[in-house]
Amino acid sequence: NDVASLSETAVTNNSMTITEPTILKTTFADMSRRQVKQLTLKQIKRVSKSDLSDLKPNAVKGLSAKQIARLSGHVVSGMNLKQLSKLTKDAITGFKKGHLKTFNGEELSIFKPNALKKLDSDNITGLKSSSLDALSKRQARAFKQNQLKELSKKQINKANDFIDNLTKKQRSVLPFTDNRKAKLMADPFNALDDEMALISVENILP
């Protein structure tokens, strides 16, 4: 797509006045970091999934939090791993719940610990349990208390590996107790029997 098509013009007294910054004869694939940064919120809202996927990784660095926030989850899902890894910490703060829902484990894992702690706590429930489980111990322990406090009961009960990777202090702020711990506290002997039964079955299976 031609970036120039995103610009708006107004005609006054038979003369053309540019009302939006215009980047002539430039496709998204050719845009620089500076050009991406100059895109207005009206222009960025018209960006398609294929447009975004065409951006060079270094050009992705030009995206701001406000620009990211204007993109739909569908459009953001067009970004590849290389592009995601180039997003700035500022841009990452623009992710909404709909954006986070699109990330699989491999995609979420591409973010460094310092980037993960920038995720808006109000949107943290958008993360899939399977994606949280894909994070390393170092990444899991980068989550701040205000983020962990917003995790849903479903996330806590299903993201077993993620919860196990948290520190004791981090687990203490979780809004819900995971089912495994609750079951162990209610009936520790039955819980242990279940664990032993599972191990026995795994040993029998070829």
Side-chain angles (χ1 to χ4, degrees):
N1 289 346
D2 195 324
V3 178
S5 65
L6 295 177
S7 300
E8 295 178 351
T9 58
V11 178
T12 305
N13 295 327
N14 297 322
S15 64
M16 183 175 288
T17 303
I18 303 299
T19 58
E20 293 284 349
T22 305
I23 306 171
L24 297 174
K25 298 180 180 178
T26 303
T27 62
F28 270 82
D30 296 325
M31 289 184 72
S32 67
R33 176 179 178 178
R34 182 179 179 181
Q35 289 173 315
V36 171
K37 192 174 183 178
Q38 292 176 337
L39 290 174
T40 67
L41 296 183
K42 284 185 178 180
Q43 289 174 324
I44 205 73
K45 194 173 182 180
R46 297 177 191 144
V47 173
S48 68
K49 181 177 179 179
S50 60
D51 288 333
L52 193 60
S53 64
D54 284 341
L55 276 182
K56 294 177 181 177
N58 284 335
V60 170
K61 293 180 181 180
L63 289 170
S64 67
K66 289 183 178 181
Q67 289 175 320
I68 288 290
R70 286 299 182 98
L71 298 173
S72 70
H74 172 71
V75 172
V76 169
S77 69
M79 300 183 75
N80 57 46
L81 294 177
K82 188 68 174 178
Q83 290 175 316
L84 290 172
S85 69
K86 295 296 182 180
L87 286 171
T88 64
K89 286 184 284 187
D90 169 68
I92 288 172
T93 63
F95 282 139
K96 301 299 183 184
K97 189 179 297 185
H99 299 139
L100 300 183
K101 285 180 178 180
T102 68
F103 294 147
N104 59 34
E106 187 178 18
E107 291 165 339
L108 186 62
S109 297
I110 204 68
F111 297 116
K112 295 180 179 179
N114 285 337
L116 290 171
K117 64 175 60 176
K118 293 293 184 179
L119 294 176
D120 191 333
S121 59
D122 290 337
N123 301 310
I124 213 74
T125 53
L127 292 171
K128 298 175 183 175
S129 300
S130 57
S131 299
L132 287 170
D133 274 346
L135 298 176
S136 68
K137 180 178 291 187
R138 184 164 173 263
Q139 288 172 313
R141 294 187 174 185
F143 279 73
K144 298 182 295 185
Q145 291 188 8
N146 66 318
Q147 292 174 310
L148 296 172
K149 287 179 180 179
E150 297 301 323
L151 290 175
S152 68
K153 187 173 183 179
K154 180 180 179 180
Q155 287 172 311
I156 293 172
N157 287 335
K158 290 194 171 185
N160 295 331
D161 293 337
F162 175 76
I163 299 301
D164 287 342
N165 281 331
L166 298 177
T167 65
K168 185 176 181 180
K169 184 177 181 179
Q170 284 178 306
R171 286 195 291 270
S172 70
V173 303
L174 294 176
F176 302 99
T177 302
D178 67 279
N179 285 337
R180 295 168 303 156
K181 184 177 179 180
K183 186 176 182 180
L184 184 61
M185 291 176 67
D187 196 341
F189 295 106
N190 281 344
L192 289 174
D193 287 342
D194 289 345
E195 290 290 337
M196 292 302 295
L198 180 60
I199 293 173
S200 298
V201 170
E202 290 177 343
N203 289 335
I204 294 174
L205 292 175

